[in-house]
Amino acid sequence: MPRPTAAQLAYGSATVIFSTLAMLLLSQTSSGLGVAVIALAALGLGLLVALTVPLPKSRLAAAPATAAAPEERVPVQRATVPSAAAPPAAPESVYEVAPSGTRGPAGP
């Protein structure tokens, strides 16, 4: 059984103290048996409150929960950008080598 947290101790103790005072004032009992019954009821109520305080999530307990519910993954479309260091492609014809504005190689 795990150790109680500070929040559980604080809420449980405050519940025991305030519920005991409230029940003693409302019941106006003066007998020892009445005080004992109220004290036991307040302890039970404090224990109930302390056990119902939410516990902090631990990393180990959270890991299996995420593995049980896999998310749907959608691939990202990525555009390829040519690298500046890549060598230029070899020309397929002579007309691609000619400077712009000319029709082709000079020749006979």
Side-chain angles (χ1 to χ4, degrees):
M1 184 168 167
R3 299 175 80 181
T5 62
Q8 287 175 319
L9 290 174
Y11 285 132
S13 299
T15 302
V16 169
I17 292 168
F18 289 125
S19 62
T20 303
L21 288 176
M23 287 189 279
L24 284 173
L25 289 174
L26 290 174
S27 69
Q28 296 178 353
T29 186
S30 58
S31 68
L33 183 61
V35 173
V37 168
I38 288 174
L40 286 175
L43 285 173
L45 187 61
L47 183 63
L48 179 70
V49 167
L51 292 177
T52 56
V53 172
L55 295 173
K57 305 260 186 212
S58 67
R59 284 183 248 163
L60 297 177
T66 56
E71 296 178 8
E72 182 179 339
R73 296 195 176 250
V74 179
V76 177
Q77 297 291 334
R78 298 183 183 192
T80 57
V81 178
S83 173
E92 293 181 15
S93 71
V94 184
Y95 294 106
E96 290 183 23
V97 178
S100 62
T102 60
R103 298 187 76 121

